């Protein structure tokens, strides 16, 4: 198998050094230029900033999927313009077998691994590479691409799955949670607090609605033998206008981690007089619907490392949810481990990057073998 540790590390460095939390164009430029220079693939950039490449032929397609946007960096992760010839750049440092910097874990490291695997693989069928914009903003790029017709048969999304089942191993996530954020709005009638019976207290109504939420069971299901349990919790409450006024409005924020095929019946809170429930965000969960594909990915992961990988589930929503909802059979496998992303000390294991490059390339060379 071609490729080497230093190459994936250096490509990760290059991608991470490019700021992409507010504007992803420069990072997309680098990815597009690398693919055109390093591969014989058909490469294109859509109007949204997503980058795609395709090589190989077959009745079914496998996509290696990532994103090149990141969340806003901590001050310690940004080099000053004076340190970088007047240009803004992200700080990247290698030490103790890890790369540190914004985007190393989420997810430019896995993106670099996928780019090298895409180039080096002798694909069993049509092999696709895709890097989306706006994943951190709710899957903006993926949703736009899907609307424009992006529809691979299979996809591996390179979000983190390392150290989920054990230390120093990259596992394969066959499912992940979605996230539904919603608001309960309670309305009442204002009155002077000295005459509470003259009004209708919106805070009391909101508290009754919270009691309904507390009594609901969190959603749960099973995906390829893996138990997936979600959660539902009240996270914010706001109401009232003054210490001596009966409140006429009160709002409650509810965070629900959804599972494939199930939702908590939050609409039951509307049984309380004056309470309205609205959904503010609904990021879909993901479930792999093809056990043979999951087995092939697990075998590829096993071939890439000494530790035995396992099927796992992931608590975070990813672009795999949007792809799965549109009909693509998805899995998640990537270099980031729990607790590494979105922090001031964000980092990724260089060993994990190399494992992912091998995993992606091996799977691309074995799948979809013999599929119709």
């Amino acid at each position: 198998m071609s490729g080497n540790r230093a190459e994936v590390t250096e490509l990760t460095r290059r991608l991470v050094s490019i700021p992409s939390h507010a504007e992803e164009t420069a990072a997309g430029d680098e990815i597009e230029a690398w693919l055109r220079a390093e591969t014989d693939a058909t490469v294109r950039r859509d109007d949204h900033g997503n980058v795609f490449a395709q090589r190989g032929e077959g009745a079914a397609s496998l996509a290696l999927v990532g994103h090149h946007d990141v969340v806003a960096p901590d001050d310690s992760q940004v080099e000053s313009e004076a340190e970088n010839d007047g240009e803004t750049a992200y700080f990247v440092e290698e030490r103790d077998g890890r790369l540190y910097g914004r985007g190393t874990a989420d997810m430019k490291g896995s993106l670099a691994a996928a780019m090298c695997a895409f180039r080096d693989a002798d694909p069993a069928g049509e092999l696709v590479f895709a890097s989306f914009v706006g994943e951190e903003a709710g899957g903006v790029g993926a949703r736009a691409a899907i609307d424009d017709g992006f529809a691979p048969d299979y996809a591996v999304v390179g979000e983190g799955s390392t150290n989920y089942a054990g230390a120093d191993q990259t596992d394969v996530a066959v499912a992940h949670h979605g996230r539904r954020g919603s608001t309960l709005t309670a309305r009442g009638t204002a009155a002077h607090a000295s005459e509470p019976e003259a009004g209708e207290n919106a805070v009391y109504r909101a508290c009754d609605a919270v009691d309904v939420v507390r009594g609901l069971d969190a959603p749960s299901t099973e995906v390829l033998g893996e138990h997936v349990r979600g959660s539902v919790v009240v996270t914010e409450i706001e109401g009232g206008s003054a210490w001596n006024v009966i409140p006429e409005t009160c709002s409650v924020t509810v965070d629900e981690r959804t599972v494939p095929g199930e939702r908590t019946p939050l609409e039951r809170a509307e049984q309380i007089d004056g309470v309205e429930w609205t959904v503010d965000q609904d990021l879909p969960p993901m479930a792999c619907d093809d056990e043979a594909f999951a087995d092939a990915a697990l075998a590829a992961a096993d071939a890439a490392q000494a530790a035995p990988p396992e099927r796992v589930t992931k608590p975070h929503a990813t672009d795999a949810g949007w792809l799965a909802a549109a009909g693509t059979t998805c899995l998640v496998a990537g270099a980031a481990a729990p607790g590494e992303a979105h922090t001031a000390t964000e980092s990724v294991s260089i060993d994990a990057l190399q494992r992912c490059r091998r995993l992606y390339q091996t799977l691309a060379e074995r799948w979809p073998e013999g599929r119709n």
Side-chain angles (χ1 to χ4, degrees), residues 16-337:
V16 170
S17 69
I18 302 170
S20 57
H21 64 281
E23 169 55 57
E24 301 114 313
T25 300
D29 289 344
E30 180 68 23
I31 294 166
E32 180 182 9
W34 188 95
L35 289 167
R36 292 189 185 280
E38 294 286 332
T39 78
D40 59 357
T42 300
V43 181
R44 67 181 180 90
R45 187 92 159 268
D46 70 12
D47 293 338
H48 314 288
N50 300 316
V51 181
F52 303 94
Q54 182 274 329
R55 53 190 297 264
E57 296 180 353
S61 56
L62 170 66
L64 305 177
V65 176
H67 63 86
H68 50 277
D69 67 314
V70 299
V71 297
D74 184 77
D75 289 344
S76 65
Q77 295 170 320
V78 180
E79 293 183 350
S80 70
E81 294 183 2
E83 293 173 322
N84 199 48
D85 297 326
E87 298 293 331
T88 300
Y90 288 170
F91 179 77
V92 190
E93 181 182 24
E94 180 179 345
R95 66 177 188 272
D96 302 324
R98 306 184 68 83
L99 281 179
Y100 287 80
R102 174 60 82 223
T104 49
D106 189 12
M107 58 163 293
K108 291 177 178 177
S110 292
L111 194 64
M115 290 164 69
C116 291
F118 175 82
R119 178 198 62 193
D120 296 337
D122 180 13
E126 181 184 355
L127 182 61
V128 177
F129 170 86
S131 185
F132 295 129
V133 300
E135 192 275 344
E136 303 290 0
V140 173
R143 294 160 66 186
I146 290 166
D147 288 344
D148 289 346
F150 181 73
D153 298 296
Y154 301 91
V156 177
V157 176
E159 298 282 4
S161 67
T162 293
N163 296 353
Y164 271 61
D168 298 321
Q169 66 188 58
T170 297
D171 300 299
V172 175
V174 297
H176 71 55
H177 291 141
R179 191 261 176 178
R180 184 168 66 168
S182 59
T183 301
L184 296 169
T185 302
R187 306 186 191 281
T189 304
H192 197 281
S194 65
E195 300 177 306
E197 67 281 353
E200 293 288 348
N201 196 313
V203 169
Y204 289 170
R205 288 178 168 178
C207 289
D208 290 341
V210 169
D211 283 341
V212 172
V213 175
R214 292 179 67 185
L216 297 174
D217 292 331
S220 64
T221 191
E222 191 169 285
V223 178
L224 300 183
E226 296 296 312
H227 182 68
V228 189
R229 181 175 177 80
S231 62
V232 58
V233 62
V234 170
T235 56
E236 294 178 304
I237 187 165
E238 181 178 3
S241 58
W243 64 268
N244 59 350
V245 177
I246 298 299
E248 62 179 353
T249 61
C250 183
S251 64
V252 175
T253 301
V254 182
D255 182 287
E256 179 191 359
R257 301 299 158 149
T258 60
V259 303
E262 298 291 337
R263 293 289 189 278
T264 302
L266 289 168
E267 63 275 6
R268 291 182 187 175
E270 292 185 308
Q271 296 172 1
I272 305 299
D273 286 344
V275 172
E276 178 185 6
W277 174 61
T278 56
V279 176
D280 307 305
Q281 182 190 61
D282 196 355
L283 305 179
M286 181 275 291
C288 181
D289 58 4
D290 188 328
E291 190 160 14
F293 181 49
D295 288 343
L298 197 64
D302 189 55
Q305 57 195 314
E310 299 180 32
R311 291 182 186 175
V312 297
T313 63
K314 185 174 174 64
H316 313 110
T318 78
D319 279 339
W322 299 111
L323 292 168
T328 295
T329 295
C330 290
L331 293 167
V332 171

